[in-house]
Amino acid sequence: DFIRPLEIKTLNARIGLIEKKLAIFQQGGVVFAWFKPLNQIPAGFQEVTNLKGRTIFGYDPDQTEFNLIGKAGGNKNKALSINEMPEHDHTFSGGNSDSNGTGTQVVTTGTSNEPGGKFGMQKTGGGQQFSLLNPYRVAAYIEFIG
């Protein structure tokens, strides 16, 4: 049997279409979430190690954090600075100007007209970092390498 020219042309067109659809799988071009053990990564794929412990955010040229493909940033934890905390006051009247045993330091700034009282500002907090992690599920990222 022989293949007719029209069949060859049809086959070439179909192969061309398949090649176009698979072009996204160029080496390093597409990343997949892999939910199986790393020793089960299929042939032709490898782990993307520069994404370990990270999530992917969408490109946005209007936001400096997301305006460059491949840019890395962010932290798992953060301690708020004074400027990042909501504006608030901790004033008191009465009491002593020392530690009250609860981690709260009382700083006296003068006397008040109230009976037997001093007044001042009360400092609270331990400055501990807090988690910024949203709910998540762990996967390895893999990419096609041919």
Side-chain angles (χ1 to χ4, degrees):
D1 288 310
F2 72 96
I3 300 176
R4 293 181 233 161
L6 181 58
E7 291 173 338
I8 293 174
K9 188 175 182 180
T10 302
L11 286 173
N12 283 336
R14 290 177 67 191
I15 290 170
L17 182 60
I18 291 169
E19 287 175 342
K20 286 180 184 177
K21 288 182 178 181
L22 295 177
I24 64 166
F25 292 103
Q26 297 174 37
Q27 186 171 350
V30 176
V31 174
F32 300 93
W34 183 253
F35 290 97
K36 293 184 178 180
L38 293 179
N39 64 359
Q40 294 180 17
I41 293 175
F45 289 82
Q46 70 179 6
E47 182 182 8
V48 181
T49 57
N50 66 352
L51 287 175
K52 285 184 174 186
R54 297 193 171 274
T55 190
I56 298 173
F57 284 93
Y59 169 76
D60 185 346
D62 298 326
Q63 295 186 54
T64 57
E65 298 87 354
F66 313 120
N67 66 354
L68 181 64
I69 300 291
K71 188 181 215 176
N75 297 296
K76 289 190 326 181
N77 297 304
K78 170 150 181 47
L80 291 176
S81 70
I82 295 297
N83 288 333
E84 293 169 326
M85 294 177 69
E87 188 175 314
H88 65 285
D89 290 321
H90 292 280
T91 57
F92 74 94
S93 62
N96 298 318
S97 59
D98 59 7
S99 175
N100 65 9
T102 63
T104 300
Q105 181 183 6
V106 178
V107 179
T108 302
T109 60
T111 59
S112 73
N113 293 331
E114 297 178 20
K118 296 184 175 191
F119 70 94
M121 296 297 293
Q122 182 177 1
K123 293 184 180 182
T124 62
Q128 293 181 341
Q129 293 189 345
F130 57 93
S131 175
L132 295 174
L133 295 174
N134 288 317
Y136 62 89
R137 180 172 304 227
V138 176
Y141 290 113
I142 62 172
E143 64 186 343
F144 180 71
I145 56 173

